[in-house]
């Protein structure tokens, strides 16, 4: 089974490495040629033209930043769509707007190919150790066919519904993570300003009802002011923007999401868009 993998960033690189470790033949592409070379040294097949890349790959996985990047790779000049022949499966693991997933899925379907949207949760550490959570949208039988591949990069793999459902689920995930992060930041700064020790409070509450994976992963980063991403603030803003857009289509307001995105945007305006999203605590630290 030959896999083509496009997008070798923080997440895509370790995911492609895990596919190699599971014995798949993997061809890689990225606009960053250094990332391609690094993967080729680890056993990935050498870069070829887009036409040959598509022809030789039974399955193509995308792990790109946002909807415009996916549209560019699929529909752009020299995009995948120009070269697809029936029977291929495209798995888009990027977190994008569910409406764009549906559009991409439809056009890929018109070429006689199958499409699954399969965004992930878990961040870089789980991408490295192959324990991502993966939420999938698409035909159930196509999901069953690609499940062994997805199990090579994740431990919790769930079929959620039709194309677009994976990204709808991911947006729900990102709303929950954002609001949790804000609550954590708010509480830790409250403790410090009240004369308490935030590290002791974290230790005391992490095993109780307030404890969460967000708390375990992000409180240590907040406490040590370590904002090396991980998950860049700008990507979380992108996800929350997509959530607000998607909510509009069902005539719903997302008041908590609105609040957190405005905090994150104000940090981005200060030049902190490449910081890990745990830097949200700086919004509270800077408050008068
Ligand atoms: P990233 O920016 O580190 O990586 C994206 C990669 O795509 C880069 O290497 C970039 O060069 C490449 N790329 C962009 N346009 C391209 C094109 N036209 N052709 C080929 N390559 C192209 O981003 P990431 O952190 O790896 O995130 C990827 C996706 O996963 C995003 O949608 C993000 O929201 C999602 N995600 C990230 C995390 C995380 O913790 N970083 C966690 C869960 C989900």
């Amino acid at each position: 089974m030959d896999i083509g993998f496009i997008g070798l960033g923080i997440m895509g690189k370790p995911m492609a490495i895990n596919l190699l470790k599971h014995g798949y033949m993997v061809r890689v592409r990225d606009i960053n040629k250094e990332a391609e070379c690094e993967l080729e040294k680890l056993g990935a097949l050498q870069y070829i033209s887009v036409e040959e890349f598509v022809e030789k790959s039974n399955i193509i996985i995308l792990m790109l930043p946002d909807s415009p990047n996916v549209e560019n790779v699929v529909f752009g000049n020299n995009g995948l769509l120009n070269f697809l022949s029936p029977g291929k499966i495209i798995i888009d693991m990027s977190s994008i707007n569910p409406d764009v997933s549906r559009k991409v899925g439809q056009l890929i379907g018109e070429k006689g190919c199958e499409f699954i949207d399969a965004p992930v949760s878990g961040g870089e550490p789980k991408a490295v150790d192959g324990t991502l959570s993966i939420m999938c949208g698409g035909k159930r039988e196509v999901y069953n066919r690609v499940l062994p591949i997805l199990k090579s990069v994740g431990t919790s793999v769930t079929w959620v519904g039709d194309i677009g459902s994976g990204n709808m689920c991911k947006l729900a995930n990102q709303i929950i993570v954002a609001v949790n992060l804000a609550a954590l930041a708010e509480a830790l700064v409250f403790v410090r300003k009240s004369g308490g020790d935030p590290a002791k409070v974290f230790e005391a509450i992490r095993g109780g009802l307030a404890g969460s994976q967000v708390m375990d992963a992000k409180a240590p980063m907040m406490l040590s002011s370590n904002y090396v991403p991980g998950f860049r603030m700008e990507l979380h803003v992108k996800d929350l923007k997509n959530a607000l857009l998607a909510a509009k289509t069902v005539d719903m307001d997302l008041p908590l999401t609105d609040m957190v995105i405005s905090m994150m945007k104000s940090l981005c305006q200060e030049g902190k868009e490449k910081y890990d999203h745990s830097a949200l605590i700086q919004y509270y630290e800077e408050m008068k």
Side-chain angles (χ1 to χ4, degrees):
M1 173 78 69
D2 278 27
I3 298 176
F5 198 108
I6 307 181
L8 303 168
I10 290 179
M11 299 297 284
K13 194 189 293 180
M15 290 164 71
I17 290 172
N18 281 328
L19 291 170
L20 286 170
K21 283 184 185 159
H22 278 79
Y24 290 105
M25 308 274 273
V26 185
R27 263 187 192 81
V28 291
R29 284 188 61 212
D30 196 294
I31 44 179
N32 172 4
K33 296 299 153 202
E34 268 177 38
E36 281 182 2
C37 288
E38 203 181 314
L39 260 290
E40 283 164 15
K41 281 188 193 134
L42 294 171
L45 297 169
Q46 220 168 12
Y47 177 76
I48 36 183
S49 66
V50 181
E51 185 171 5
E52 225 184 317
F53 177 91
V54 176
E55 189 201 317
K56 294 227 153 94
S57 308
N58 311 99
I59 294 195
I60 298 174
I61 298 178
L62 312 180
M63 194 51 169
L64 298 162
D66 194 7
S67 313
N69 310 92
V70 171
E71 290 179 307
N72 182 25
V73 164
V74 178
F75 315 133
N77 288 340
N78 224 16
L80 303 179
L81 211 58
N82 297 309
F83 307 108
L84 281 178
S85 54
K88 310 269 180 195
I89 303 179
I90 316 293
I91 310 174
D92 182 19
M93 304 191 75
S94 329
S95 306
I96 68 167
N97 186 330
D99 282 340
V100 175
S101 299
R102 288 182 201 105
K103 178 173 138 197
V104 171
Q106 179 170 345
L107 292 172
I108 284 174
E110 286 169 12
K111 291 278 181 182
C113 299
E114 302 291 353
F115 179 76
I116 296 273
D117 61 312
V120 308
S121 170
E124 189 186 17
K126 294 196 173 204
V128 171
D129 61 20
T131 57
L132 290 165
S133 294
I134 307 176
M135 38 218 110
C136 304
K139 289 181 201 154
R140 186 80 196 233
E141 59 92 9
V142 180
Y143 163 80
N144 288 337
R145 275 162 61 196
V146 300
L147 193 53
I149 293 172
L150 298 178
K151 288 269 187 190
S152 307
V153 295
T155 38
S156 159
V157 186
T158 308
W159 179 78
V160 186
D162 295 339
I163 293 174
S165 306
N167 271 302
M168 178 267 297
C169 182
K170 173 68 186 180
L171 293 180
N173 181 83
Q174 292 306 83
I175 292 169
I176 294 166
V177 172
V179 174
N180 260 278
L181 267 182
L184 180 62
E186 189 166 300
L188 292 180
V189 175
F190 160 74
V191 167
R192 189 172 51 73
K193 291 201 169 173
S194 307
D197 178 350
K200 278 274 166 258
V201 170
F202 168 50
E203 194 186 316
I205 67 175
R206 61 186 292 206
L209 190 57
S212 66
Q213 290 198 28
V214 170
M215 184 183 282
D216 281 343
K218 301 299 175 178
M221 296 181 77
M222 290 181 178
L223 293 171
S224 61
S225 305
N226 163 22
Y227 305 124
V228 178
F231 188 60
R232 298 193 303 274
M233 184 89 68
E234 63 188 356
L235 287 178
H236 211 150
V237 168
K238 173 263 300 184
D239 289 334
L240 298 183
K241 270 187 193 159
N242 283 335
L244 291 167
L245 276 174
K248 246 193 202 145
T249 66
V250 292
D251 205 16
M252 184 182 170
D253 290 330
L254 303 177
L256 292 175
T257 303
D258 256 332
M259 224 179 271
V260 183
I261 197 175
S262 72
M263 295 177 194
M264 287 184 173
K265 276 184 179 166
S266 87
L267 290 167
C268 289
Q269 276 160 10
E270 293 172 15
K272 293 170 180 163
E273 67 276 8
K274 309 276 182 224
Y275 287 24
D276 188 76
H277 56 167
S278 54
L280 185 60
I281 195 169
Q282 294 195 347
Y283 180 87
Y284 287 94
E285 286 166 342
E286 288 165 10
M287 262 166 62
K288 296 267 168 353

